[in-house]
Amino acid sequence: MFFESWGEIVRIIITTLIIYPFLILATHLVGKRSFAKMNNFDWIITVATGSILGSAILLKDVVIVEVFVAVSLLLLLQYLLTLLSAHFSAFDKSVKTSPQLVFFNGEYLTKAMKDARLTCTEVEAGIRKAGYGDSNRIMAVVFEADGELSIIAKSEISNGLITKLINESA
């Protein structure tokens, strides 16, 4: 359970030394967006890639060439998705979720929260994580496409941003 053999340790070291430069090269070729956390697709690619690479390092019967093909294909698909999204706003809107205003000026927006499957407790936790003790100092909370909560304090708000937040949530 704690130790199988030195041969396995050597195999893990060699596999890691082969896979790591591939990961660096692939990230360099595809760009830093390949492991960003900007939306749900980025997150899925990051988790899937990590799972494939972890399996390749630890499991005996995973073929490294197959790992390279699988990771390369995932990164290529992610690259194409982001390329199409950047150039075609209709495509971008069809594949990505929009930010959602879930709290505004002291009021929880219950319909938006139900759509996002968020609770008041989760919004309050996001407010605390942002360094605010309570919601009285908060103008807005936005549930972002990447699943994070953006907290906008009343002291940071401008009239233009208020209008934009209201329009985006409609």
Side-chain angles (χ1 to χ4, degrees), residues 25-151:
L25 178 65
T27 304
H28 180 73
L29 291 174
V30 179
K32 56 187 162 191
R33 175 72 187 260
S34 57
F35 294 108
K37 193 179 77 165
M38 298 183 73
N39 63 52
N40 51 341
F41 293 105
D42 294 326
W43 181 80
I44 290 167
I45 295 300
T46 301
V47 170
T49 301
S51 177
I52 292 168
L53 294 174
S55 296
I57 291 170
L58 294 176
L59 300 178
K60 297 175 189 177
D61 37 342
V62 176
V63 179
I64 291 179
V65 172
E66 293 171 357
V67 169
F68 290 171
V69 170
V71 170
S72 296
L73 185 56
L74 281 173
L75 292 175
L76 175 65
L77 291 171
Q78 177 68 356
Y79 178 81
L80 292 174
L81 180 84
T82 56
L83 185 69
L84 289 170
S85 293
H87 288 88
F88 302 103
S89 61
F91 180 80
D92 186 53
K93 287 180 184 176
S94 70
V95 298
K96 294 182 182 171
T97 59
S98 299
Q100 217 170 358
L101 187 64
V102 295
F103 178 89
F104 187 73
N105 202 20
E107 300 287 326
Y108 291 95
L109 306 177
T110 54
K111 182 181 178 335
M113 289 177 62
K114 284 180 182 177
D115 290 345
R117 298 184 315 274
L118 282 175
T119 65
C120 293
T121 305
E122 292 167 324
V123 174
E124 291 163 2
I127 291 170
R128 286 191 303 276
K129 285 180 185 177
Y132 298 98
D134 62 62
S135 59
N136 292 330
R137 296 174 40 205
I138 304 304
M139 177 57 75
V141 177
V142 179
F143 187 49
E144 301 291 353
D146 67 356
E148 296 288 323
L149 292 173
S150 292
I151 312 301

